Each structure stands twice: as C-alpha cells, then as structure tokens.
Amino acid sequence: MTKRTTAKYKIDRRMGENIWGRAKSPVNRREYGPGQHGQRRKGKMSDFGTQLRAKQKLKGYYGDLTEKQFKRIYGDAARVKGDTGENLIGLLERRLDAVVYRAKFVPTIFAARQFVNHGHVTVNGKRVNIASYRVKEGDVVAVRERSKQMALVLEAVASAERDVPDYLEVDHSKLTATFVRTPGLGDVPYAVQMEPNLVVEYYAKN
C-alpha cells in the first residue's frame, strides 16, 4: 500500500491544484503549498521545473507511484509505436487499480490500490491482487461477491462526484467493468490539465 495514503492531499497542495477534483481537497480553501514556506512568492519556473512538475503531477495522480515504477511504465510507452505521451497515458489507465477507480468501485485511487491488494477484485473471473496488473481490451474486471456490500464500494457507486469514462462499460448493479479500449489523453477525465508531452521531454533530457 502506498505510503502516501494518509497524506494524499499534500500532493494537491504541493501542486496548488485539486488534481482529483475532490470536494475535500484543501486547495479548495487555499492554493498555496504545505509548510511554513508554502506562501512564498512563486518566480518564473524553468523548463526543467515545468517538466518535473508535469511528471510529479501525473505520477502523483495515480497514487503517487514510486519513481522506479513510473519510469518503467514510461520505458514501456517509449518502446511502443506511436506518440510516447499518448502511450504513457494508455498504459497508466490500463493499470488494474486505475480501472477499479475509473469504474467507481471505490472513491479514490489510493483506495483502489488497497482494494486490489486485499483481494477484492477479479479479472475474467480470476482473483488478481496486483494493483499494477495491466488489463487488456475486452477484459472484465469485477468486485468479488463477498466484497460487494463493503461501505466504501456502496459510497463510491452512489457518488455523483465523477462520471465513468466511455472506454469502460460498467454495470454497477453487478459491479463489473469491461475495458473496451485503451484511451488517449483526450479520453481521460482528468480534473486538471495533464501534460504527458512534458513528461516525455523530462525523461528525454534526464
């Protein structure tokens, strides 16, 4: 389970953006960063700083993956034909914890990782407890029968805070989600602007 679970909103404040679009985010009340120096005047950011920020924001969005995990996904994206930035988004959205979150089976990406790790999810009828498991087009992700009445599942399904994207076909009565297609950047319902092109520039130079 990610070490960020108890302090996830620090990412919001560090970025000065409500990156998950949640009503509870402290950025809704104050946009400056955490700590005693959070309100210092911001100077013009360098190209490196802009690229690093874009990378940290995208990495943080998916449960604040470790640098090693994120760089491995970037490496996979760079090896596939096509636009590396678009490939990166597609691979991130194919993570099992991301699919569980997008399907609204749980309220947050952090809860999604824990939910998968604790064995509450199946893929094509088989239990999978690896959050980084990469789903394929046509795969059916489901909440296990014994987990369907959990409070956080019922809360997430009832929430109007976000919508299910159209690259998933979700049946909330059965708590199943079919991964229809791999999305591009324009398909993913980010609450803030993500810039995978800057992430590509960051790794190309560093």
Side-chain angles (χ1 to χ4, degrees):
M1 190 170 68
T2 176
K3 59 185 177 294
R4 281 273 177 205
T5 302
T6 56
K8 55 184 175 289
Y9 290 121
K10 279 188 178 178
I11 304 170
D12 275 10
R13 289 186 59 201
R14 192 170 70 219
M15 296 297 161
E17 296 181 82
N18 183 355
I19 67 172
W20 296 285
R22 300 212 73 201
K24 295 177 182 177
S25 173
V27 176
N28 295 339
R29 298 188 299 276
R30 53 193 176 199
E31 294 186 357
Y32 53 84
Q36 62 177 324
H37 302 298
Q39 296 185 65
R40 285 189 301 192
R41 185 177 302 188
K42 295 176 183 175
K44 189 177 187 304
M45 200 175 288
S46 66
D47 287 347
F48 172 79
T50 303
Q51 293 158 2
L52 176 62
R53 180 186 172 87
K55 189 261 293 186
Q56 297 292 69
K57 184 163 65 170
L58 187 62
K59 182 163 72 79
Y61 183 91
Y62 288 92
D64 212 22
L65 304 174
T66 66
E67 179 61 24
K68 185 176 180 181
Q69 288 173 317
F70 193 73
K71 195 169 184 179
R72 187 185 306 127
I73 297 168
Y74 170 80
D76 291 344
R79 283 190 289 273
V80 179
K81 285 184 179 179
D83 183 278
T84 301
E86 291 284 335
N87 293 341
L88 175 61
I89 296 299
L91 290 177
L92 288 167
E93 286 293 309
R94 283 175 56 193
R95 285 177 56 94
L96 182 56
D97 55 355
V99 173
V100 168
Y101 171 63
R102 292 288 181 218
K104 287 181 63 177
F105 294 158
V106 291
T108 69
I109 190 69
F110 297 90
R113 184 179 299 184
Q114 188 174 20
F115 196 68
V116 173
N117 288 345
H118 287 185
H120 298 297
V121 174
T122 64
V123 179
N124 300 329
K126 295 182 179 179
R127 186 162 71 99
V128 178
N129 61 0
I130 301 168
S132 61
Y133 177 90
R134 200 169 283 173
V135 302
K136 300 185 292 292
E137 293 179 2
D139 280 355
V140 178
V141 177
V143 176
R144 295 182 73 192
E145 195 63 40
R146 66 180 179 84
S147 309
K148 288 182 177 180
Q149 295 304 311
M150 291 177 64
L152 90 163
V153 175
L154 298 175
E155 172 199 338
V157 169
S159 172
E161 195 168 73
R162 54 196 172 89
D163 298 319
V164 175
D166 63 7
Y167 48 89
L168 296 179
E169 285 182 357
V170 177
D171 185 339
H172 280 140
S173 64
K174 296 179 181 177
L175 291 177
T176 61
T178 303
F179 191 77
V180 178
R181 60 184 175 83
T182 302
L185 176 62
D187 302 313
V188 182
Y190 293 118
V192 297
Q193 183 181 8
M194 293 294 180
E195 299 167 296
N197 58 310
L198 295 180
V199 180
V200 173
E201 290 176 14
Y202 172 85
Y203 282 118
K205 293 177 181 177
N206 298 282

